[in-house]
Amino acid sequence: MTSERPILQLGHPTLRQVAQPVKSTADAQVQQLIDDLILTVQAASGVGLAAPQVGQSLQLLVVASRPNPRYPHAPVMEPTALINPRLIAHSEDTVKGWEGCLSIPGIRGLVPRYREVEVEYLDPWGAVQRVIWTDFVARIFQHESDHLAGKVFLDRVESTADLMTEQEYQTRVLAEGSGAGS
Ligand code: NI
């Protein structure tokens, strides 16, 4: 049965580990984990979630963009589970945009990311898939992919001056309607 899972918070050592490759996509526990990640990210008003964030140190993440109270301008997409994802190619240019993280509540940061990425991964049925994502969805992928390497967005900000509390972000960035491109 699908259930929401508790999300680990910054300071938990699992968030700083390099995740292990998934050995078998057919594993019932892997299928359960995918269902639970999608349910958990939607319940928490997130747009992506990586397995290490729920205590499973595996190379598995979901990208599930849709407008919600934390990301009112997010584009709508089908939730997508990526197993053992690999960055195949990326644009030369980067863009800075605001990010948050369900493992780091209360903080937003302006993070530089590649504008476009090409990713290869296994889908939940074990088939190899390739996708090209741009802008906000490319940003989500790069954020979640960092979790598989034991990194968080705080490691990527160029300056601590690019950090804001959630409250200031809601007031200054979202209320101005700019959303800083995200
Ligand atoms: Ni995160």
Side-chain angles (χ1 to χ4, degrees):
M1 189 155 153
T2 307
S3 59
E4 247 181 84
R5 300 208 187 180
I7 297 172
L8 303 186
Q9 304 290 285
L10 183 68
H12 194 293
T14 299
L15 291 175
R16 291 308 196 170
Q17 286 172 7
V18 177
Q20 297 300 306
V22 173
K23 291 202 182 91
S24 168
T25 56
D27 189 326
Q29 288 184 354
V30 169
Q31 296 292 326
Q32 184 70 67
L33 180 57
I34 291 169
D35 291 346
D36 290 356
L37 284 171
I38 291 171
L39 181 74
T40 303
V41 72
Q42 292 181 338
S45 292
V47 288
L49 193 62
Q53 291 182 274
V54 298
Q56 301 297 313
S57 197
L58 290 170
Q59 303 249 345
L60 165 56
L61 60 87
V62 296
V63 177
S65 177
R66 65 176 189 183
N68 64 51
R70 290 179 68 247
Y71 296 95
H73 309 298
V76 180
M77 65 181 285
E78 263 312 296
T80 304
L82 290 80
I83 299 165
N84 300 340
R86 275 194 318 132
L87 184 63
I88 297 294
H90 60 77
S91 60
E92 280 187 26
D93 56 321
T94 60
V95 278
K96 282 170 91 171
W98 288 100
E99 295 183 17
C101 181
L102 294 170
S103 294
I104 311 169
I107 299 285
R108 298 282 183 141
L110 203 47
V111 184
R113 300 285 189 189
Y114 299 123
R115 192 183 52 76
E116 183 173 278
V117 292
E118 182 174 3
V119 180
E120 188 177 274
Y121 63 97
L122 296 178
D123 70 18
W125 298 273
V128 177
Q129 302 286 348
R130 268 196 193 203
V131 69
I132 293 174
W133 278 323
T134 56
D135 301 314
F136 187 71
V137 179
R139 174 173 299 281
I140 298 170
F141 170 76
Q142 291 169 83
H143 176 117
E144 302 312 331
S145 182
D146 270 357
H147 279 300
L148 304 186
K151 288 190 165 67
V152 297
F153 79 89
L154 300 177
D155 306 327
R156 298 278 189 195
V157 295
E158 289 174 346
S159 158
T160 49
D162 286 339
L163 298 173
M164 245 190 218
T165 66
E166 180 73 26
Q167 192 181 344
E168 289 295 323
Y169 173 79
Q170 294 283 343
T171 308
R172 292 175 189 279
V173 183
L174 281 186
E176 283 169 11
S178 69
S182 52

